[in-house]
Amino acid sequence: MQTDIKSMTTEELKDLMRSLGEKEFRAKQIYEWMHKKLASDYEEMTNISAALKEKLKNTCTYTKLQMLRMQESAEDGTRKYLFALPDGNTVETVFMRYKHGNSVCISSQVGCRMGCKFCASTLDGLERCLLPSEMLEQIYEVTRHTGERVSNIVVMGTGEPLDNYDNLVRFLRMISDENGLNISQRNITVSTCGLVPKMLELAKEKLQITLALSLHATTDEKRKEIMPIANSYSISQLMDACKVYFEETGRRITFEYALIAGVNDSIEQAAQLAELARPLHCHINLIPVNPVKERGYAESSKAAIVAFKNKLEKKQITVTIRREMGRDIDGACGQLRRRYVCEKK
Ligand code: SAH
């Protein structure tokens, strides 16, 4: 198998240079071409000799994504991209403009095996994990296409990032590397459905990213109804893991809570949620559930959402309601890819 050069750290590139009989300093030059100057191919690397380029072509693959579709929202400029991976699989990436900067939501896997009942991305199960280069390239390709700097990243697209742990951590270190795009770890959020052992492992990496936990329910019974992962880890185990994460990293966890009409949006559930969030000083992000046609869950009413939020605030919990962006371009997450795959069939 060929080496995926865009997933290699500078140290690994140095070893590669040595093995190719080249000088070590070439490693940093090549790293910067790939990760800072976002070169589309070896040809752009003007200070690299033709002989070295030839050796690289013969020993390494140069991962690039191909844009298949792009939809731009007329309402807020949000863009959804559908990219083809080198093996023909597809992933969705979203570009959003906020007052505080541009944000990109990336996918971490092709499909997902977590099986959350309200989610479109898991309907066909997991196809495969993404390589670090394939996560990086989603951001690089959006940067090339928009010509604008990306300052925030959320790993909230298709896939469970902690189910692709090693590649995720490598990606996080590379995207925040000063020889690459140098995106501040504090501006990166990784969202998980709650793989407890991996959350504990992540705590030890000493990264300054924000960890978001997709909680979506306040009791184990209710959580099991909508998230199969709740059969493996209880809410009490999750809260313990959050506590460890906070203690090890000093970073507050965000709870994500998708409001589903008649399922998890009562005032009593808001009160329970406040009790879970308080000891951990968590921020809560409420998401009106995006209806997925295969699923049959409905969004909570505006009144229920406001009442839920008010209850949390009364209990001194900081809460935001996720602003809905790009609603005019393909409803729920994963829908652009889903439609494309269905058309192909
Ligand atoms: N697997 C990770 C990250 C991907 S999903 C996780 O579970 O956190 C990103 C967020 O969107 C999660 O909180 C997920 O539960 C939520 N989500 C998935 N489908 C949704 C839908 N139809 N409406 C609203 N939120 C949804």
Side-chain angles (χ1 to χ4, degrees):
M1 204 191 104
Q2 287 206 319
T3 316
D4 178 30
I5 193 166
K6 231 181 253 182
S7 291
M8 294 172 84
T9 61
T10 308
E11 284 310 307
E12 289 165 343
L13 281 172
K14 282 183 188 167
D15 291 341
L16 178 69
M17 290 305 126
R18 274 191 290 271
S19 74
L20 295 176
E22 296 280 340
K23 294 261 176 2
E24 233 181 48
F25 74 91
R26 295 287 174 207
K28 190 164 178 245
Q29 288 180 329
I30 293 170
Y31 192 93
E32 288 192 349
W33 275 114
M34 293 190 290
H35 303 287
K36 187 175 252 169
K37 301 177 191 162
L38 310 187
S40 296
D41 53 38
Y42 294 121
E43 295 319 313
E44 287 182 26
M45 304 182 181
T46 46
N47 57 0
I48 302 298
S49 72
L52 175 50
K53 284 177 192 163
E54 203 48 41
K55 287 187 213 169
L56 293 176
K57 276 183 209 160
N58 292 334
T59 47
C60 305
T61 51
Y62 196 83
T63 299
K64 274 279 288 170
L65 306 184
Q66 189 202 339
M67 192 198 306
L68 294 175
R69 286 188 189 174
M70 196 282 288
Q71 296 183 326
E72 181 162 15
S73 163
E75 290 170 9
D76 53 34
T78 295
R79 293 182 186 185
K80 286 199 179 185
Y81 292 89
L82 185 73
F83 292 122
L85 303 167
D87 68 356
N89 274 305
T90 56
V91 289
E92 229 178 284
T93 306
V94 185
F95 171 81
M96 293 158 285
R97 281 201 185 87
Y98 291 99
K99 280 200 253 4
H100 60 263
N102 295 323
S103 185
V104 170
C105 173
I106 66 158
S107 297
S108 57
Q109 296 180 315
V110 180
C112 182
R113 57 179 179 152
M114 296 298 131
C116 297
K117 292 278 162 41
F118 44 82
C119 182
S121 298
T122 196
L123 286 165
D124 295 324
L126 176 68
E127 181 66 35
R128 71 170 174 89
C129 287
L130 295 190
L131 297 168
S133 59
E134 293 169 328
M135 292 187 251
L136 291 166
E137 263 301 318
Q138 293 175 61
I139 296 151
Y140 297 174
E141 197 52 33
V142 169
T143 304
R144 290 184 194 107
H145 188 252
T146 59
E148 294 179 32
R149 176 166 169 87
V150 171
S151 51
N152 297 272
I153 297 167
V154 292
V155 187
M156 286 195 187
T158 296
E160 168 48 49
L162 298 191
D163 189 33
N164 184 14
Y165 186 86
D166 292 341
N167 288 341
L168 174 83
V169 171
R170 183 177 277 255
F171 158 78
L172 293 171
R173 295 197 194 286
M174 291 175 78
I175 196 69
S176 56
D177 187 318
E178 60 182 4
N179 294 319
L181 284 190
N182 195 15
I183 296 179
S184 165
Q185 290 182 0
R186 289 173 173 267
N187 293 347
I188 303 175
T189 299
V190 172
S191 179
T192 179
C193 64
L195 306 184
V196 168
K198 295 294 172 189
M199 289 167 70
L200 296 173
E201 209 175 323
L202 191 65
K204 296 221 171 61
E205 307 279 353
K206 302 283 185 225
L207 295 165
Q208 283 298 297
I209 59 157
T210 299
L211 184 63
L213 171 66
S214 298
L215 194 57
H216 305 324
T218 54
T219 63
D220 288 325
E221 195 190 359
K222 181 57 79 179
R223 200 161 189 266
K224 283 178 192 169
E225 234 178 69
I226 53 178
M227 300 177 74
I229 193 68
N231 292 303
S232 305
Y233 308 107
S234 67
I235 289 182
S236 146
Q237 286 174 302
L238 278 175
M239 296 304 116
D240 288 347
C242 288
K243 185 160 174 278
V244 171
Y245 191 88
F246 177 57
E247 285 168 358
E248 293 270 341
T249 64
R251 302 286 295 160
R252 287 186 192 189
I253 309 258
T254 296
F255 285 168
E256 286 163 281
Y257 197 93
L259 288 163
I260 312 174
V263 174
N264 63 358
D265 62 347
S266 73
I267 290 297
E268 193 197 350
Q269 285 158 329
Q272 290 168 348
L273 182 58
E275 294 318 310
L276 292 173
R278 186 190 328 265
L280 298 160
H281 312 287
C282 286
H283 173 93
I284 295 180
N285 194 208
L286 297 175
I287 318 165
V289 82
N290 241 319
V292 175
K293 72 173 188 302
E294 292 85 347
R295 296 304 205 183
Y297 286 112
E299 190 180 328
S300 302
S301 68
K302 283 275 168 314
I305 295 171
V306 170
F308 200 94
K309 177 168 182 271
N310 287 345
K311 185 73 183 175
L312 289 170
E313 283 176 341
K314 242 186 235 131
K315 301 219 168 231
Q316 266 86 53
I317 306 294
T318 59
V319 46
T320 46
I321 298 181
R322 188 191 287 173
R323 217 171 101 211
E324 294 169 40
M325 298 185 76
R327 266 260 163 148
D328 54 330
I329 48 167
D330 260 304
C333 338
Q335 294 288 78
L336 173 60
R337 168 170 180 267
R338 207 172 158 69
R339 192 146 53 82
Y340 178 83
V341 173
C342 290
E343 280 170 22
K344 287 262 137 157
K345 280 180 191 158

